[in-house]
Amino acid sequence: MNSSRKKEWHTGAAFLLSQLGAHVAETFGRRIVHLGITRPHAGILRFIANNPASNQLGLAKRLGVLPSRMVILIDELAAKGLVERKRSIRDRRHSELVLTTKGERTLQKLRKIGAQHEADLLAGLTRKEREQLAALGRKIVHHQGLIPEVHPGFRKLGQC
Amino acid sequence: MNSSRKKEWHTGAAFLLSQLGAHVAETFGRRIVHLGITRPHAGILRFIANNPASNQLGLAKRLGVLPSRMVILIDELAAKGLVERKRSIRDRRHSELVLTTKGERTLQKLRKIGAQHEADLLAGLTRKEREQLAALGRKIVHHQGLIPEVHPGFRKLGQC
DNA sequence: TATTGTTATACTCTATAACTATA
DNA sequence: TATAGTTATAGAGTATAACAATA
């Protein structure tokens, strides 16, 4: 409270990014809770929409989630009628994942929510600053070897 | 894999921040694992250094961690000889938390690791870009009502 | 009676590995 | 034998609430 002694660490960009990232993730999670899904679910819906007929294991590998966990996540999406498993005809071991009509509608809602979320997050920045931020972010993502569109927070291999 | 259909979502700043934040947190966690502590531990050490003689409940409230979890975290830090609980003389219910000499040394190591972590993260940016990023980040932190220096990711109230 | 800290426990989540079916 | 998917289970981690000590 009363730390008049100001020898504190200067908050660097790394801490800021981590702090903001956790905040963004948390608030987004709260924004979609009424849809009955969690952030990983939302990420999967989005991924399936962008990559139709993905199979579970490919999805799991791409998103860094364990196959056994992916089964549960897809089960939950299927139980909500958002996703369907279609057995592949050519190789009946594969299930091709497709969005149902309800899943498409949910995705539309997610897009609206995401847009609003983004608008609120950046409300304090000018248009130019927003572009700067996005450009800097993409630059780091690229330099760090991260896969665009793939969120590393879905996997939970011990949180170190 | 072969999604030639490019009607994909444009990755906005919110997703970028969340993605980068998770990446930053994960890599930092890996960098400190050899010290035998986790990110929440590091955050607590840092906080105690900046706010000496904090008590557990204040710390828990400030960091958004449940009191029962804070007990465990402090237990672990105490077991490693990094932190000591000193019963307050004026109110014997309080324990004032202080870093041991070993705790101070660990904090020094954390600072070095943090600096290297930051350097690697920003390696692809010019000096000016780094300043831009930090300024933008601080601006958002302020506008979002986040408490500087306090990481919201330590609490785990269901991940939504 | 309120507050600080602690313990106990139930619960959830995750990871490992075994298993089925297809190839 | 290898791969996609699933199930079972043990372990870790978290939240709730009860509790002891002090005020």
Side-chain angles (χ1 to χ4, degrees):
Chain A
M1 252 344 146
N2 58 345
S3 82
S4 51
R5 201 185 63 149
K6 281 297 172 197
K7 202 197 60 177
E8 307 195 355
W9 281 13
H10 177 66
T11 305
F15 187 91
L16 277 169
L17 285 177
S18 181
Q19 182 187 26
L20 281 172
H23 172 73
V24 167
E26 186 187 330
T27 50
F28 184 73
R30 276 206 289 263
R31 279 178 189 266
I32 66 174
V33 74
H34 71 279
L35 296 175
I37 60 174
T38 64
R39 293 189 292 112
H41 293 131
I44 292 170
L45 288 181
R46 192 165 71 115
F47 191 90
I48 294 175
N50 288 338
N51 307 79
S54 301
N55 63 343
Q56 279 189 205
L57 231 56
L59 191 57
K61 208 178 294 181
R62 178 74 182 259
L63 265 54
V65 173
L66 290 174
S68 60
R69 198 184 167 215
M70 185 57 75
V71 171
I72 297 171
L73 289 167
I74 302 291
D75 276 351
E76 290 163 346
L77 287 171
K80 294 206 167 291
L82 305 177
V83 163
E84 259 182 307
R85 290 176 170 104
K86 288 198 176 175
R87 281 266 169 248
S88 169
I89 314 166
R90 298 193 304 181
D91 186 337
R92 290 170 40 75
R93 288 175 302 183
H94 291 69
S95 6
E96 296 170 352
L97 300 171
V98 290
L99 296 186
T100 63
T101 309
K102 191 179 172 192
E104 300 271 13
R105 278 201 304 271
T106 298
L107 193 62
Q108 290 304 327
K109 289 179 194 167
L110 283 172
R111 284 178 179 158
K112 274 192 185 174
I113 294 170
Q116 186 60 52
H117 183 234
E118 172 122 352
D120 291 346
L121 179 73
L122 303 179
L125 302 187
T126 66
R127 180 170 174 74
K128 193 170 186 181
E129 285 173 327
R130 298 177 192 202
E131 283 165 8
Q132 272 182 3
L133 180 66
L136 291 171
R138 273 190 282 272
K139 205 163 179 179
I140 298 179
V141 165
H142 179 260
H143 192 270
Q144 291 289 307
L146 294 173
I147 308 168
E149 308 280 336
V150 174
H151 196 295
F154 294 159
R155 60 174 174 276
K156 290 264 160 48
L157 300 157
Q159 77 163 31
C160 289
Chain B
M1 253 345 144
N2 58 348
S3 83
S4 52
R5 198 185 65 149
K6 281 298 171 195
K7 200 196 60 175
E8 306 194 355
W9 281 14
H10 177 66
T11 305
F15 187 91
L16 277 169
L17 285 177
S18 180
Q19 182 188 26
L20 281 172
H23 172 72
V24 167
E26 186 187 328
T27 50
F28 184 73
R30 276 206 288 265
R31 279 178 190 266
I32 66 174
V33 74
H34 72 278
L35 295 176
I37 59 174
T38 65
R39 292 190 293 113
H41 292 131
I44 291 170
L45 287 182
R46 192 165 70 115
F47 191 89
I48 293 176
N50 288 338
N51 306 78
S54 302
N55 64 342
Q56 279 190 204
L57 230 57
L59 190 57
K61 208 179 291 180
R62 178 77 183 255
L63 266 53
V65 173
L66 289 173
S68 59
R69 199 186 166 213
M70 185 56 74
V71 170
I72 297 171
L73 289 167
I74 301 291
D75 276 350
E76 290 162 347
L77 287 171
K80 294 207 168 292
L82 305 177
V83 163
E84 258 181 308
R85 290 177 170 103
K86 287 198 176 174
R87 281 268 169 245
S88 169
I89 314 167
R90 298 193 305 181
D91 185 338
R92 289 169 45 72
R93 288 174 302 181
H94 292 68
S95 5
E96 296 172 352
L97 301 170
V98 290
L99 296 187
T100 62
T101 310
K102 191 178 171 192
E104 300 271 11
R105 279 202 304 270
T106 298
L107 193 62
Q108 290 304 325
K109 289 180 194 166
L110 283 172
R111 284 177 179 160
K112 275 192 185 174
I113 293 170
Q116 186 60 52
H117 183 233
E118 172 123 353
D120 291 348
L121 178 74
L122 304 178
L125 303 187
T126 66
R127 180 168 173 77
K128 193 169 184 180
E129 285 172 329
R130 297 176 192 202
E131 284 166 6
Q132 271 181 3
L133 181 66
L136 291 170
R138 274 191 281 271
K139 205 163 179 178
I140 299 178
V141 165
H142 179 260
H143 192 270
Q144 291 290 305
L146 293 173
I147 307 167
E149 308 281 335
V150 174
H151 196 296
F154 295 158
R155 59 173 175 276
K156 291 263 159 49
L157 300 157
Q159 77 164 34
C160 290

